[in-house]
Amino acid sequence: MCKLESLFILLLLFGKASLLNNGVARKPPMGWMSWGYYLCSVDCEKYPRKCLNEKLLLSVADMFYNRGYQEAGYEYIVIDDCWSEKRRSVNGRLVPDRKRFPKGMEAIAEYIHARGLKFGIYTNIADITCMHYPGSKGHFIEDAKMFAEWGVDYIKVDGCFVGEAYLNTAYIGFGQHLNNTGRPMVYSCSWPYYIEFIHKKTPDYATISRHCNMWRNYHDVVTSWDSIKDIIRHYQSSYNQLSPYHGPGHWNDMDMLIFGTDSLTESQSRVHIAVYAMMSSPLLLSCDMEKITEYERELLLNLELLAIAQDPLGIMAKPFELDNSITLWVKPHLPRKGNRYHSVSFALVNLEDRSSSASFIPGLYGLNSTEEYTVMDVFTKIFIRNVTLNDPISVTVPSEDVILYTLFPL
């Protein structure tokens, strides 16, 4: 660790550091990230169609630009681990893999920016990354400046191979160095995940939320329905712990969307994106964009659904257990009537392999207008009927599916 970095961390321990102040991620970031599907796919000769290289990143940019994703709000294209050479240069700089990224990261950023999109990259606060590429420990100042010079807009910072005390200072220190560059970069931390699941301690979310724009709380998603169910259940059980620290500029990150991986049925895909939208989680795809089905694309470009996901209030939906294994997720959001009465979305989620019926009375879940509300099915975009606060809404939710309604005050 360099002397300046050591001094900075000492200052942190005595409470002298300023807080994150980058003005970004006022809404949950949307885009694409390489890890969930591509992992550390560096053997491009053997697996040319699943290769983590320059061509892949530029193809995602073209897909966002040409197929409507950009207009819907998908803007970040983020490369995860395994992008660099295995050693730093003689002057201590990280070097993009020369075979897979021959033009360098600055050229990739320029290509992405020319299309009105944003570029993201990965590092780790240890000496090495999780996949044993060079990490940023001892190079915080240089790496922060380098990422800014390259035109990076988003940086995912992992926390493998370090102790609890270092996690609690290094994330703050590196974030401050990113701030000091003067370039706004979304700061995505894995800080609470390592505190809770590696070091078996309780994360200090009050501190984390002051120093990171978003953070991973739970295990990596894998391309399976079981993984999605596990993530949903974790956030359901952790709502009280996580919700106070979630909002514009600082988000709980449920990890990537696994559309385009042939892992989910259509109903499971509805559950996946509906809960993420209700939670105001970042929406980051991880897949070969060419493999997204037409139905998945329809979901990803459903503007009524994205309005819930990207609502400026950024409120996490609150879960309530109804009868027959159905969870009701409730989320107030804009538009308001008379700046007083919120619209409210209700997601009735059935994770079981059998259909279930349930009923709820809207007025018991925070609605407050004495006038009627009109009910819209978010997936079909059809207005169903008008209801009062006391009118029960009854549904049958098919197995592994969700019914998602938005109630607008009249």
Side-chain angles (χ1 to χ4, degrees):
M1 184 181 297
C2 69
K3 290 181 179 179
L4 283 175
E5 193 173 307
S6 299
L7 176 61
F8 187 82
I9 288 180
L10 285 173
L11 289 174
L12 292 174
L13 294 174
F14 288 94
K16 302 294 185 181
S18 60
L19 304 181
L20 183 72
N21 184 28
N22 58 15
V24 298
R26 303 308 297 171
K27 297 180 181 179
M30 296 170 57
W32 179 96
M33 180 177 285
S34 62
W35 183 257
Y37 178 72
Y38 287 91
L39 302 172
C40 197
S41 301
V42 298
D43 190 343
C44 297
E45 293 183 3
K46 188 173 182 180
Y47 302 105
R49 294 190 60 82
K50 196 171 184 180
C51 170
L52 193 65
N53 64 2
E54 183 177 286
K55 180 181 177 182
L56 170 64
L57 298 184
L58 303 188
S59 73
V60 176
D62 291 341
M63 183 69 77
F64 275 13
Y65 185 75
N66 293 322
R67 297 209 65 196
Y69 294 98
Q70 180 186 21
E71 289 84 353
Y74 298 89
E75 58 179 345
Y76 291 97
I77 298 171
V78 184
I79 187 167
D80 209 288
D81 204 350
C82 310
W83 59 266
S84 75
E85 294 282 343
K86 283 296 186 79
R87 290 182 177 85
R88 288 178 177 263
S89 70
V90 292
N91 60 1
R93 287 172 66 91
L94 292 168
V95 179
D97 183 283
R98 293 178 178 87
K99 289 184 178 179
R100 292 182 290 121
F101 303 97
K103 296 179 182 176
M105 291 303 177
E106 192 169 1
I108 291 173
E110 288 176 358
Y111 187 95
I112 289 171
H113 291 158
R115 282 145 185 79
L117 299 164
K118 296 178 180 177
F119 175 54
I121 206 163
Y122 167 100
T123 191
N124 189 28
I125 56 173
D127 293 311
I128 56 174
T129 70
C130 297
M131 298 303 294
H132 298 271
Y133 288 76
S136 288
K137 187 176 182 180
H139 299 273
F140 284 3
I141 296 173
E142 307 97 292
D143 287 0
K145 289 180 178 178
M146 180 187 66
F147 293 141
E149 291 167 3
W150 286 354
V152 168
D153 305 292
Y154 176 120
I155 181 161
K156 175 181 174 180
V157 182
D158 224 331
C160 297
F161 312 128
V162 296
E164 177 191 357
Y166 183 77
L167 284 166
N168 288 332
T169 55
Y171 271 109
I172 299 173
F174 191 55
Q176 188 60 50
H177 290 310
L178 293 174
N179 260 1
N180 291 343
T181 68
R183 181 174 182 82
M185 290 180 263
V186 174
Y187 187 28
S188 173
C189 305
S190 297
W191 184 359
Y193 170 78
Y194 287 95
I195 292 293
E196 182 169 356
F197 291 99
I198 304 302
H199 300 290
K200 311 301 180 184
K201 300 291 180 62
T202 300
D204 178 2
Y205 280 105
T207 299
I208 293 166
S209 65
R210 291 197 301 268
H211 293 282
C212 301
N213 293 121
M214 51 189 281
W215 48 84
R216 285 285 310 286
N217 315 79
Y218 197 55
H219 304 301
D220 284 0
V221 68
V222 297
T223 52
S224 76
W225 170 237
D226 284 342
S227 177
I228 299 304
K229 288 193 295 183
D230 190 41
I231 290 170
I232 290 172
R233 285 170 174 151
H234 171 76
Y235 280 87
Q236 182 176 338
S237 65
S238 302
Y239 171 83
N240 290 333
Q241 178 190 19
L242 301 178
S243 61
Y245 307 105
H246 180 95
H250 43 272
W251 308 102
N252 293 294
D253 178 10
M254 299 179 74
D255 208 10
M256 292 158 279
L257 296 171
I258 59 168
F259 286 8
T261 62
D262 196 29
S263 303
L264 305 175
T265 66
E266 289 188 355
S267 66
Q268 292 166 354
S269 297
R270 287 192 290 272
V271 173
H272 186 16
I273 196 167
V275 175
Y276 277 44
M278 291 287 287
M279 292 286 284
S280 291
S281 176
L283 299 180
L284 298 169
L285 288 156
S286 191
C287 63
D288 179 342
M289 291 294 296
E290 295 286 353
K291 294 183 178 179
I292 289 178
T293 68
E294 280 305 308
Y295 184 71
E296 288 172 330
R297 182 170 178 268
E298 180 183 324
L299 290 176
L300 292 167
L301 301 183
N302 181 326
L303 297 185
E304 303 297 339
L305 180 61
L306 294 180
I308 299 170
Q310 292 281 284
D311 178 66
L313 301 181
I315 297 170
M316 276 178 63
K318 185 172 183 177
F320 298 89
E321 287 293 330
L322 301 184
D323 294 334
N324 300 324
S325 302
I326 291 179
T327 302
L328 176 67
W329 297 80
V330 181
K331 178 185 179 75
H333 53 78
L334 301 180
R336 294 189 187 102
K337 177 184 176 182
N339 203 33
R340 184 177 178 185
Y341 304 116
H342 287 91
S343 303
V344 181
S345 288
F346 295 86
L348 295 108
V349 177
N350 179 11
L351 298 180
E352 304 302 323
D353 59 3
R354 62 184 184 281
S355 65
S356 293
S357 298
S359 180
F360 68 97
I361 297 174
L364 298 179
Y365 298 96
L367 280 72
N368 56 358
S369 174
T370 56
E371 303 296 328
E372 288 187 322
Y373 288 76
T374 189
V375 181
M376 182 187 71
D377 184 313
V378 173
F379 291 118
T380 65
K381 305 179 186 178
I382 294 173
F383 286 91
I384 300 171
R385 62 187 175 103
N386 295 346
V387 297
T388 67
L389 295 180
N390 298 316
D391 289 336
I393 296 177
S394 300
V395 298
T396 297
V397 186
S399 64
E400 300 176 340
D401 207 342
V402 56
I403 291 176
L404 179 55
Y405 291 151
T406 296
L407 276 61
F408 297 99
L410 296 175

